[in-house]
Amino acid sequence: RRWLGWDTPTLPRVVEQLRVEYSEGDLWDMRRVMVVLPGGLARRRLGELLAVAAQKHELILYPPQIVTVGTLPEHLYLAKFPFASDLVQQLAWMKSLRDTPTAELAQIVPVPPGPTAIQQWLELAKIFSGIHRELASDGLNFQQVLTAVGDSSESQRWHVLAGIQSRYLATLDAQQLWDIQTARLCALEFREPVADKQIVVVGCVASNRTQRGFLEQIASRVSIWIAAPESAAQLFDEFGGLQSQPWADFELDIPDESLLVGNSPTDQADLTCGCLAELADRYHARDVTLGVPDAALVSELKLQLGQTGQTARYGPGAPLAQSEPALLLSLLGEYIGTRSFAAMAALLRHPAMPAMFDASGTPLPTDWLARLDDYYQAALPKQVDDFVNQEPRVKPAAAVYATVKQAITQWLEPLNTQSQPVSQWVDPLLRVMTAAYAKQMVDLDDPLEGPLYSAASQVCTAILSLRDIPPELEPSMTISELIDWLLRSISGQLVPEPARPAAIEMLGWLALGLDDAPVL
């Protein structure tokens, strides 16, 4: 273990230590070094700081390999098969669950889904995948848990779970695919980790047991750098992780004048704006980082800062499921599934609709949405069907409704309501989405257009991934079911915001420890 202290920012100190240790003459060669960091932001920032230091000291830089702790294991062993995607893993879990005898499955799920309830089976598979991943991070599989619980009330349940997991792994093996969590456990069991580089682990205070297992098996090549003084050694374990009890008793002396208390998100945003106003004469916006321990505060902070003329950027970005393309998918699924006027009205208010009508050459008056509202208030249609009310009092609005309905029907013609293998939906769905957005030129650095492009790319990738499903695991779905499944599968993804030189950076609490801005 090496102690870096906590009186100055960590990454600049890491850069200086690396320069002292690995530079000779005008050469700074770290090609035989791997630096491990907690997250992607610190990884990118360290690369920047290394380049700046090399220029400052007039050194020829050969940078180290910089990785995150989450991807470290795959740099230390050779996988025998390609890794299955999350999508394929869920389908393999679903097959294993459906192949489980009903009596056994009842030990875990009292009322299993019906044979055709694909969505419910997939949700169940997602739960099992999460349990599997969580246990694997602690170096355990279901059979080991069964052994640990022994002859108890839980043993029968874990006996069934172990059988389900075994069938899941056999299913992937039959496809010559590998579950990444199990691959790591097998690599540890057979002592496969090897390192041809010096491993420098920096600030990784929350590595799991499996990651530590890899470090332990290559211990002679590992150096743990801890952002604390050696006098605080009792607060950290041998891997630089936090010792819970000593930290529970540790008192951090923050001066009272450094604490400002707000009773609500709005109060906190007001206090933030006030602090920034006091700093404005001494610091540029790029010299300031806002720590946001609760991401729910981000929108309020952005709003308040915008009203004072400041721009803020939240690096992780916004949820992909809330993006324009994902919202369009959701509205499409709702409309195709229900054919209700309310669903069509919501779909028509999506930002992509005017461009779709223009691209299709649909002749519409400028107030077409208002005309549709007039038609609804006069005719009160519940469903979108062949009937159009042509009574004199609604006739002007009825013409607009008929035109819009026809354009929507032609646009969505590739998406029928029948159930079919999911890979067969890829081309029709992409055609519909492409028609909605047509061909647009976007500025990737624009705060609105950049995220739109990123979101569209991620949604497109999610749709295209349906082609990679092995035929033996491929389910059949209606387009509404498929869209619902796709939206669930991307629910955890984020759309990063583009970099903006004049923006104040906002970071979540996990990224703050390695931030080096002058003001936090």
Side-chain angles (χ1 to χ4, degrees):
R1 297 190 295 182
R2 179 175 298 183
W3 305 95
L4 303 177
W6 54 28
D7 54 336
T8 60
T10 301
L11 288 184
R13 181 164 288 188
V14 169
V15 169
E16 182 59 23
Q17 291 282 340
L18 291 173
R19 187 181 68 82
V20 170
E21 196 158 323
Y22 293 102
S23 67
E24 185 174 344
D26 62 353
L27 187 63
W28 191 3
D29 189 352
M30 292 181 285
R31 286 174 288 187
R32 308 296 295 176
V33 179
M34 179 188 295
V35 179
V36 184
L37 292 164
L41 182 65
R43 178 174 60 83
R44 292 187 293 273
R45 182 58 178 157
L46 180 61
E48 293 173 355
L49 292 173
L50 287 170
V52 170
Q55 185 178 32
K56 175 183 177 183
H57 295 282
E58 299 182 342
L59 297 172
I60 300 171
L61 172 65
Y62 291 94
Q65 183 179 9
I66 308 175
V67 304
T68 61
V69 68
T71 63
L72 171 66
E74 278 59 60
H75 294 282
L76 303 177
Y77 75 100
L78 184 63
K80 298 177 177 61
F81 294 123
F83 294 125
S85 66
D86 289 346
L87 192 63
V88 172
Q89 289 180 50
Q90 286 183 30
L91 291 170
W93 277 109
M94 183 178 78
K95 183 180 186 305
S96 177
L97 287 163
R98 298 182 76 174
D99 290 346
T100 303
T102 304
E104 291 186 15
L105 195 58
Q107 298 281 338
I108 305 165
V109 186
V111 185
T116 61
I118 300 297
Q119 293 286 26
Q120 286 84 350
W121 282 111
L122 285 168
E123 278 301 301
L124 195 59
K126 193 172 183 179
I127 293 172
F128 275 73
S129 180
I131 297 171
H132 164 71
R133 185 177 291 109
E134 185 174 352
L135 286 173
S137 70
D138 276 330
L140 297 170
N141 59 33
F142 289 7
Q143 182 61 46
Q144 290 170 311
V145 177
L146 172 61
T147 302
V149 298
D151 187 15
S152 69
S153 59
E154 290 292 309
S155 60
Q156 185 58 38
R157 285 158 51 91
W158 282 101
H159 176 75
V160 175
L161 286 166
I164 293 172
Q165 187 180 54
S166 179
R167 284 190 293 277
Y168 158 74
L169 295 174
T171 299
L172 290 182
D173 191 60
Q175 303 298 324
Q176 294 194 319
L177 294 172
W178 202 217
D179 172 85
I180 188 170
Q181 310 298 335
T182 306
R184 292 176 176 181
L185 296 184
C186 288
L188 289 176
E189 181 182 355
F190 296 107
R191 304 194 67 82
E192 296 177 9
V194 292
D196 59 356
K197 297 182 178 182
Q198 179 66 27
I199 312 294
V200 177
V201 182
V202 179
C204 295
V205 298
S207 54
N208 60 47
R209 189 178 298 177
T210 297
Q211 292 160 352
R212 293 174 179 217
F214 276 87
L215 294 174
E216 199 164 31
Q217 291 193 12
I218 56 167
S220 63
R221 307 300 300 271
V222 175
S223 178
I224 306 292
W225 292 14
I226 301 173
E230 191 169 1
S231 60
Q234 76 281 3
L235 300 174
F236 300 88
D237 62 25
E238 60 182 326
F239 296 98
L242 304 182
Q243 297 275 32
S244 301
Q245 190 53 51
W247 275 103
D249 299 331
F250 183 81
E251 184 173 328
L252 184 63
D253 185 19
I254 300 178
D256 289 344
E257 60 271 17
S258 294
L259 300 175
L260 299 175
V261 180
N263 294 320
S264 67
T266 302
D267 288 347
Q268 293 179 329
D270 286 341
L271 290 170
T272 302
C273 292
C275 289
L276 290 172
E278 293 177 0
L279 297 168
D281 292 337
R282 289 174 289 157
Y283 295 97
H284 187 273
R286 295 299 298 167
D287 294 330
V288 181
T289 292
L290 295 183
V292 189
D294 184 352
L297 294 174
V298 168
S299 59
E300 183 69 30
L301 282 167
K302 280 190 170 185
L303 177 64
Q304 296 280 63
L305 288 169
Q307 292 175 351
T308 63
Q310 290 280 7
T311 303
R313 175 184 179 272
Y314 185 58
L320 176 59
Q322 297 176 10
S323 68
E324 242 191 59
L327 180 58
L328 179 59
L329 267 182
S330 177
L331 294 171
L332 284 175
E334 180 70 18
Y335 173 70
I336 295 172
T338 65
R339 297 283 295 181
S340 69
F341 188 93
M344 185 183 79
L347 175 61
L348 292 173
R349 281 164 171 78
H350 188 276
M353 288 298 94
M356 190 279 292
F357 287 133
D358 288 344
S360 64
T362 304
L364 289 173
T366 55
D367 61 343
W368 62 274
L369 268 177
R371 298 274 190 95
L372 281 176
D373 290 340
D374 292 341
Y375 179 80
Y376 176 76
Q377 292 173 12
L380 296 176
K382 185 175 182 181
Q383 297 296 118
V384 179
D385 48 30
D386 294 334
F387 175 75
V388 178
N389 192 322
Q390 296 288 359
E391 294 180 16
R393 61 192 178 87
V394 297
K395 197 164 185 176
V400 174
Y401 170 63
T403 302
V404 168
K405 182 167 69 71
Q406 182 181 6
I408 293 290
T409 301
Q410 291 176 346
W411 173 45
L412 300 182
E413 186 178 5
L415 305 179
N416 56 57
T417 57
Q418 296 177 349
S419 180
Q420 60 183 14
V422 295
S423 61
Q424 295 183 23
W425 286 119
V426 172
D427 287 337
L429 190 52
L430 286 178
R431 284 204 304 274
V432 166
M433 294 292 286
T434 301
Y437 283 99
K439 293 181 179 179
Q440 297 184 30
M441 295 295 292
V442 296
D443 178 0
L444 297 183
D445 295 324
D446 184 88
L448 295 177
E449 294 181 356
L452 174 61
Y453 176 82
S454 296
S457 299
Q458 289 178 252
V459 169
C460 183
T461 299
I463 296 172
L464 288 171
S465 68
L466 299 174
R467 289 176 174 165
D468 300 329
I469 299 174
E472 295 82 355
L473 299 177
E474 187 176 14
S476 292
M477 297 184 185
T478 65
I479 187 62
S480 295
E481 291 172 336
L482 174 67
I483 288 173
D484 184 55
W485 182 37
L486 276 174
L487 293 173
R488 291 172 187 264
S489 69
I490 65 175
S491 60
Q493 297 182 37
L494 298 172
V495 181
E497 291 190 39
R500 282 181 273 177
I504 296 173
E505 207 59 55
M506 295 193 291
L507 300 181
W509 68 275
L510 283 174
L512 289 177
L514 294 178
D515 184 66
D516 62 309
V519 179
L520 172 62

